Amino acid sequence: MIAMIFEFWFDPDDPARYQEYLAESARLRELLPGVAGLEGIERFQSTTDPHRYVAIASFDDEASVAVWRRDQDHRRAQELGRSRFFAGYRLRMAEVVRDYGKQG
């Protein structure tokens, strides 16, 4: 399993960019059920900085990550993120070496 940890933040002086991001994110989210090997993705807002977020996704393997990375709609969203939406971002990809827990 591959984990994606995507940290990003918005300019607090430009709330319109955040609204644009939400619209693009909703459009992209509609495509996610069709992405083979994408197990899930969730977005969380910081409790200490309301302009900072993290998205965590899990993929079956590197091949699944590559398919998503090459998806044209995803590429378009990435470019919008870099050029328009985000004041900053950081992406981490990690191989999961342990995965256990209790589900309720």
Side-chain angles (χ1 to χ4, degrees):
M1 179 191 305
I2 305 296
M4 178 208 74
I5 305 157
F6 181 54
E7 188 179 0
F8 54 101
W9 49 98
F10 298 94
D11 181 348
D13 296 325
D14 194 355
R17 301 282 182 181
Y18 176 66
Q19 294 304 316
E20 290 177 47
Y21 160 78
L22 288 177
E24 180 65 22
S25 178
R27 189 184 74 74
L28 201 58
R29 186 167 288 278
E30 292 176 6
L31 304 175
L32 297 181
V35 179
L38 174 61
E39 295 180 15
I41 186 167
E42 292 288 333
R43 178 179 57 221
F44 303 92
Q45 184 176 20
S46 171
T47 59
T48 59
D49 180 350
H51 305 289
R52 191 176 202 93
Y53 294 81
V54 65
I56 301 173
S58 56
F59 294 87
D60 288 341
D61 50 30
E62 283 285 347
S64 302
V65 173
V67 168
W68 179 235
R69 192 172 44 235
R70 288 190 305 260
D71 181 90
Q72 289 304 309
D73 290 304
H74 181 231
R75 305 276 303 172
R76 178 182 173 278
Q78 284 179 311
E79 179 54 36
L80 285 170
R82 284 190 293 266
S83 66
R84 188 163 178 80
F85 300 148
F86 305 137
Y89 68 91
R90 182 174 189 169
L91 175 66
R92 295 178 183 101
M93 302 299 289
E95 187 169 344
V96 176
V97 296
R98 197 171 296 112
D99 180 15
Y100 61 91
K102 178 181 177 182
Q103 294 195 11

